[in-house]
């Protein structure tokens, strides 16, 4: 998990969006950044980049460089080596990172609430909104969906771990 709390990331980005554009005479840029989703993308990247790195680093360390040398000696180009040699070696790590980051992003609430575009409503936002309005049955259904997604992804990554 990331050691950086989502609330701090969100407040920092919101403060930067309020302060920086007017300071440089770019006041209309503030709403454009928020509406385009740039702030939420930056917030998610700041919050979960370390988590993605933690999953991808072992996958990249396991690359067998001898296979690249063999492909190069057989006349394969750079893109062919990437497609047929490197990508199959790191594909399980990329898949696991994508799934784990998907779950992390689905359950992220502070960044989504504070800097996301107004039309972006994630599953965690739906759970929070329904709970705050006392629609507990709707909140429970969305919570169960989040738990089911998490459980299925956990099963997939455990299966990959056993085959690695």
């Amino acid at each position: 998990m990331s050691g950086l709390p989502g609330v701090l990331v969100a407040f920092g980005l919101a403060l930067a969006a309020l302060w920086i554009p007017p300071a440089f005479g770019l006041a209309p840029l503030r709403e454009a950044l928020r509406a385009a989703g740039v702030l939420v993308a930056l917030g998610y990247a700041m919050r979960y980049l370390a988590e993605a790195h933690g999953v991808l680093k072992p996958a990249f360390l396991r690359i067998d460089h001898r296979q690249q040398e063999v492909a190069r000696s057989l006349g394969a180009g750079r893109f062919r080596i990437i497609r047929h040699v490197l990508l199959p070696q790191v594909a399980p790590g990329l898949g696991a990172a994508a799934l784990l980051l998907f779950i992390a992003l689905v359950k992220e609430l502070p960044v989504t609430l504070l800097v996301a575009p107004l039309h972006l409503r994630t599953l965690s936002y739906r759970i929070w909104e329904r709970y705050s309005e006392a629609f507990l049955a709707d909140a429970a259904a969305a919570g169960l969906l989040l738990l089911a997604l998490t459980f299925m992804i956990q099963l997939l990554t455990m299966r990959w771990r056993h085959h690695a």
Side-chain angles (χ1 to χ4, degrees):
M1 280 295 180
S2 175
L4 192 60
V7 173
L8 291 179
V9 172
F11 276 130
L13 286 172
L15 184 62
L18 288 174
W19 182 75
I20 292 174
F24 295 106
L26 303 170
L29 182 65
R30 178 181 340 161
E31 281 306 312
L33 286 174
R34 185 172 182 186
V38 173
L39 292 177
V40 75
L42 278 173
Y44 287 161
M46 288 171 58
R47 179 110 163 88
Y48 295 110
L49 200 59
E51 195 169 326
H53 180 265
V55 176
L56 290 175
K57 185 177 179 181
F60 283 104
L61 288 176
R62 281 189 306 233
I63 292 176
D64 187 9
H65 296 286
R66 294 175 297 180
Q67 291 180 359
Q68 293 177 42
E69 293 170 8
V70 168
R72 211 173 284 121
S73 69
L74 291 173
R78 176 179 291 162
F79 293 112
R80 195 164 190 184
I81 290 172
I82 290 172
R83 183 172 177 208
H84 295 289
V85 177
L86 289 178
L87 225 64
Q89 289 181 17
V90 297
L94 290 173
L99 288 175
L100 291 174
L101 287 178
F102 172 74
I103 285 296
L105 292 176
V106 165
K107 66 183 182 74
E108 174 62 38
L109 186 61
V111 174
T112 306
L113 282 177
L114 293 173
V115 294
L118 296 175
H119 64 276
L120 180 66
R121 299 294 180 243
T122 62
L123 188 56
S124 63
Y125 179 85
R126 181 172 174 82
I127 294 169
W128 174 77
E129 179 185 46
R130 291 303 176 183
Y131 178 77
S132 67
E133 293 175 1
F135 294 126
L136 299 180
D138 288 345
L144 282 174
L145 178 62
L146 181 60
L147 283 174
L149 280 171
T150 305
F151 183 70
M152 289 187 317
I153 289 176
Q154 182 66 30
L155 286 177
L156 278 172
T157 57
M158 284 178 59
R159 184 170 179 227
W160 288 345
R161 197 176 307 143
H162 290 298
H163 290 296

